[in-house]
Amino acid sequence: MKFAFLLAALVATSAPAAVDMAAAAAQAQTCFACHGPNGISQMPEVPSLAGQPDGFLQWQLVFFRNGTRKSPIMTSMAAMLKDDDIRGLAAFFAKQPPPRADTTAASDAALLSAGRQLAQANRCAACHQADFSGTQATARLAAQREDYLLKALREFKAGTRSGGGLAAMADVVYPLADGDLRALAHFLARQPS
Ligand code: HEC
Ligand code: HEC
């Protein structure tokens, strides 16, 4: 409880705290190596960060730093970040134009329509917003890399990604089969941002 409160305090104070954008932009260069220029990822299973909600980015960096979200790479990256670095980096990437769905990528009509129906039936938009742009602690999904979306959904399903310990995504994916997760990733990666 106390732990949750401390996390909330960190995120809640982000808005009024003045962020040094020039310093954040300079520090973000180290992230581009994997997350791509300005946070548009070109690398398999590495998420784009551009246009993610500020709060979502802050929480995930805190989860990596405190070890509740596991990733060998990001755990060591986040270990070096102070609270002010996290606020700055989150503010920087939240302000970057989001990725655009790759309209040249091959698209499977049956998978796309299955994904659209599953997203409706499971009310993904209730939390992720109608245009899947995310809000506060909830991720942007529109035009995220398909391979990363599938990886994330599989990890929620397997229980290996729990982040803040909020059961939101675990409950959502619990009844879904792997084919459903593939359809959802296919659909969401093709949503306009
Ligand atoms: C050496 C490669 C590498 C570098 C450098 C790197 N990251 Fe990452 N990052 C990853 C990978 C891989 C993941 C996906 C982790 C997973 O889900 O397994 C990730 C995930 C993330 C996430 C979670 C995003 C989401 O949609 O869930 C955030 C936030 C993040 N990184 C921020 C940063 C920031 C800020 C920096 C720079 C300080 C940075 N990363 C540098 C590889 C890297
Ligand atoms: C009750 C609210 C809620 C619903 C409904 C919901 N989500 Fe989420 N989702 C979240 C939250 C909150 C997060 C951030 C999880 C975290 O911090 O660990 C998230 C994270 C994700 C992520 C990880 C994104 C990233 O960049 O790391 C994916 C993918 C995702 N959701 C897909 C879906 C899909 C697909 C559906 C519908 C089948 C769905 N969500 C329904 C709340 C929800």
Side-chain angles (χ1 to χ4, degrees):
M1 204 54 215
K2 187 180 168 208
F3 171 66
F5 175 77
L6 288 173
L7 289 180
L10 168 67
V11 174
T13 53
S14 65
V19 162
D20 180 346
M21 274 310 232
Q27 194 176 17
Q29 305 289 319
T30 58
C31 319
F32 295 176
C34 297
H35 290 281
N38 297 322
I40 308 283
S41 170
Q42 318 287 333
M43 217 183 262
E45 298 198 342
V46 179
S48 288
L49 303 178
Q52 280 289 3
D54 189 335
F56 171 76
L57 293 169
Q58 288 194 50
W59 282 100
Q60 299 308 312
L61 289 169
V62 170
F63 295 157
F64 286 127
R65 191 175 63 179
N66 67 24
T68 52
R69 181 171 172 188
K70 315 270 184 238
S71 158
I73 297 170
M74 281 310 300
T75 302
S76 52
M77 293 296 308
M80 298 184 290
L81 301 177
K82 299 186 176 60
D83 290 355
D84 280 348
D85 299 328
I86 289 181
R87 290 194 191 98
L89 288 163
F92 172 82
F93 282 111
K95 282 201 170 63
Q96 304 310 305
R100 300 178 63 172
D102 180 2
T103 48
T104 62
S107 171
D108 178 325
L111 212 50
L112 202 58
S113 118
R116 180 176 287 111
Q117 282 170 29
L118 283 160
Q120 269 168 15
N122 292 281
R123 301 175 29 83
C124 311
C127 296
H128 290 277
Q129 306 292 289
D131 60 357
F132 302 107
S133 60
T135 177
Q136 300 178 7
T138 307
R140 163 184 290 279
L141 304 175
Q144 180 57 277
R145 291 186 62 91
E146 183 174 354
D147 54 7
Y148 175 75
L149 289 168
L150 181 56
K151 170 177 145 64
L153 289 169
R154 283 176 169 161
E155 287 175 348
F156 287 124
K157 172 97 187 165
T160 52
R161 176 167 165 192
S162 52
L166 312 165
M169 282 307 300
D171 288 349
V172 167
V173 292
Y174 178 74
L176 301 177
D178 196 62
D180 297 338
L181 305 186
R182 284 196 293 117
L184 282 163
H186 194 78
F187 166 70
L188 291 165
R190 286 163 181 76
Q191 293 313 293
S193 41

